[in-house]
Amino acid sequence: MPVINRIGEFHREMTEWRQDLHAHPELALQEIRTSGVVQAKLKEFGVDEIITGMARTGVVGVIRGNGTSGRAIGLRADMDALPIVEETGAPYASQNHGVMHACGHDGHTTMLLGAAKYLSETRNFDGTVFVIFQPAEENLAGGDIMVKEGLFERCPMDMVFGLHNWPQMPAGSFAWRNGPVMAAVANIEITITGKGTHGAQPHFGTDPIVIASHIVTALQTIVARTIEPVEGGVVTIGHINGGHTYNVIPETVRMLGTARWFDARVGDQLEDGVRRLATGIAESFGAKADVMFSRDYPATVNDPDATSLARRAATAVAGEARVVPMQKPTMGGEDFSFMLNAKQGSYIMLGGGRGKDDAMVHHPRYDFNDEILPVGASYWATLAEQLLPRQD
Ligand SMILES: [Zn+2]
Ligand SMILES: [Zn+2]
């Protein structure tokens, strides 16, 4: 792969960093060791400044180039792991049972560290590069916290860029997209309260299990019958809990689910549909439904100008044939969306596939592909050098 030669030289070193991070995964907002490793490495590389404390474990390294330009860009990686029991069998598998780097954030952190090492060493750019190591991408919106805690005020920058590895794309290839690239996410929680009774005496109670069944079925009609067919949307109930045994009708049933969309109007329609159907159906059966529809992550929307710059950098590293347009956005969520809502920028996919049977991210047998470490690090470094060119 045509990576930056100097970065290729520390491929082995980066592989060691990645596997060490993989062995010591930490959940969202608990990335104490990871944050410490990042800080120690940035210090060792000789970055100009290290900013800590944003979103608890967040770290920003400031690298100033040669020259007097006031321009600046941000490069962002995420650091957190997932509550999954690892099944890779790798010699460097998680030593923190029940926690696993199953989304490749170990690789993301390592690639940005690799770029930081190269950029600190070479300074072949004019301006400032902020390397942003963000906690809690999964569920707890570390990206939002960093923005709220003043990331862009403390680190004034013109554009911000993000990247995710993608095991279903060939290793070392890139996919770009203008506009929406990842979906907006809401968590749904519905509690149905009926009246518990003996399973053989249903007429003395109000059965929340039957009501829950009607609600689950009716929720399927929101996307099918109220959303314009060419728009994207999903409502999924992923968990139902109610009752304990054969012959008791319980008092309550609790359901958890997720909703996804791109267009904010569709989000409103999904929320309205979930609330209306759940409360209306429960009421019509003489029970009550409490509905929580919590909008967690907005859609991740790429700016076309920033995307063409990202695409140019990716092409310089991977070659034209390996930089392809992403045909469709994905329904996954991403909290880089909060940074893109506050700052012009773009989020690109980097392929990490080894063959046909690559486990998808969030799978217990997924493992970041170390072969692409220098590709990602070269992409970051190239982006910095292209966007902040030296004047001399
Ligand atoms: Zn993930
Ligand atoms: Zn991820």
Side-chain angles (χ1 to χ4, degrees):
M1 287 164 198
V3 300
I4 292 175
N5 284 338
R6 179 65 189 125
I7 289 177
E9 280 169 26
F10 44 82
H11 189 176
R12 225 181 127 143
E13 207 179 330
M14 280 196 285
T15 304
E16 281 165 20
W17 303 344
R18 206 286 294 183
Q19 296 182 356
D20 170 70
L21 291 172
H22 190 88
H24 302 95
E26 294 168 304
L27 291 175
L29 297 180
Q30 299 169 33
E31 306 90 340
I32 309 288
R33 179 186 184 275
T34 311
S35 176
V37 168
V38 167
Q39 292 171 47
K41 295 237 181 291
L42 292 177
K43 200 170 167 195
E44 179 194 319
F45 305 155
V47 304
D48 297 285
E49 202 183 324
I50 299 172
I51 302 169
T52 59
M54 267 186 278
R56 274 165 92 166
T57 55
V59 184
V60 182
V62 187
I63 312 169
R64 295 193 185 91
N66 279 303
T68 53
S69 163
R71 283 171 310 155
I73 61 164
L75 312 175
R76 170 273 200 180
D78 38 16
M79 303 191 288
D80 57 320
L82 284 156
I84 292 177
V85 179
E86 178 160 356
E87 292 174 17
T88 63
Y92 51 82
S94 172
Q95 294 173 21
N96 184 4
H97 185 76
V99 182
M100 177 189 175
H101 266 299
C103 204
H105 300 182
D106 47 351
H108 300 169
T109 298
T110 301
M111 293 188 291
L112 191 55
L113 281 173
K117 179 176 159 94
Y118 168 83
L119 291 169
S120 308
E121 188 177 286
T122 53
R123 312 258 175 178
N124 193 22
F125 60 95
D126 184 3
T128 303
V129 177
F130 295 101
V131 286
I132 305 163
F133 296 87
Q134 177 219 297
E137 190 283 319
E138 309 281 1
N139 302 316
L140 297 182
D144 186 31
I145 304 174
M146 285 191 89
V147 172
K148 286 194 176 125
E149 291 184 3
L151 172 66
F152 295 124
E153 290 75 37
R154 292 176 71 176
C155 307
M157 61 187 80
D158 307 311
M159 286 187 183
V160 68
F161 294 87
L163 171 161
H164 208 291
N165 81 99
W166 209 247
Q168 271 63 44
M169 279 165 41
S173 65
F174 288 87
W176 57 271
R177 194 169 203 280
N178 288 327
V181 60
M182 301 280 257
V185 179
N187 285 336
I188 301 167
E189 187 175 335
I190 302 171
T191 306
I192 301 144
T193 308
K195 187 164 178 258
T197 179
H198 193 295
Q201 312 278 336
H203 55 293
F204 288 130
T206 306
D207 186 347
I209 290 189
V210 172
I211 298 167
S213 310
H214 280 274
I215 292 174
V216 173
T217 306
L219 293 183
Q220 309 313 308
T221 66
I222 301 173
V223 172
R225 302 287 79 179
T226 62
I227 304 301
E228 188 181 345
V230 292
E231 297 284 353
V234 181
V235 176
T236 292
I237 295 298
H239 172 97
I240 303 187
N241 186 17
H244 298 283
T245 188
Y246 302 100
N247 54 357
V248 176
I249 291 171
E251 189 96 357
T252 61
V253 168
R254 183 166 170 260
M255 302 194 278
L256 303 178
T258 189
R260 310 279 167 118
W261 65 91
F262 298 106
D263 187 302
R265 281 168 312 172
V266 172
D268 293 342
Q269 288 176 301
L270 297 182
E271 174 167 2
D272 176 64
V274 170
R275 289 188 186 283
R276 188 167 33 80
L277 289 170
T279 53
I281 289 168
E283 238 166 64
S284 69
F285 280 96
K288 183 170 91 78
D290 291 300
V291 181
M292 186 202 80
F293 189 98
S294 137
R295 298 185 184 216
D296 291 345
Y297 291 4
T300 305
V301 183
N302 281 337
D303 171 82
D305 294 332
T307 303
S308 73
L309 296 169
R311 204 178 144 186
R312 183 180 63 169
T315 305
V317 175
E320 197 123 21
R322 293 163 74 80
V323 180
V324 298
M326 214 172 135
Q327 297 300 341
K328 298 174 211 164
T330 90
M331 278 290 172
E334 166 60 68
D335 77 346
F336 187 60
S337 52
F338 290 101
M339 295 193 189
L340 286 184
N341 279 355
K343 186 67 63 182
Q344 188 180 17
S346 188
Y347 182 82
I348 202 166
M349 301 296 186
L350 167 59
R354 296 174 177 88
K356 268 199 293 194
D357 296 320
D358 284 278
M360 188 52 187
V361 289
H362 291 209
H363 189 281
R365 282 196 301 281
Y366 163 84
D367 189 18
F368 183 89
N369 184 352
D370 289 318
E371 288 309 305
I372 65 172
L373 289 171
V375 183
S378 297
Y379 165 70
W380 285 137
T382 304
L383 196 56
E385 289 178 354
Q386 286 185 344
L387 266 60
L388 307 171
R390 286 179 69 155
Q391 304 303 318
D392 47 20

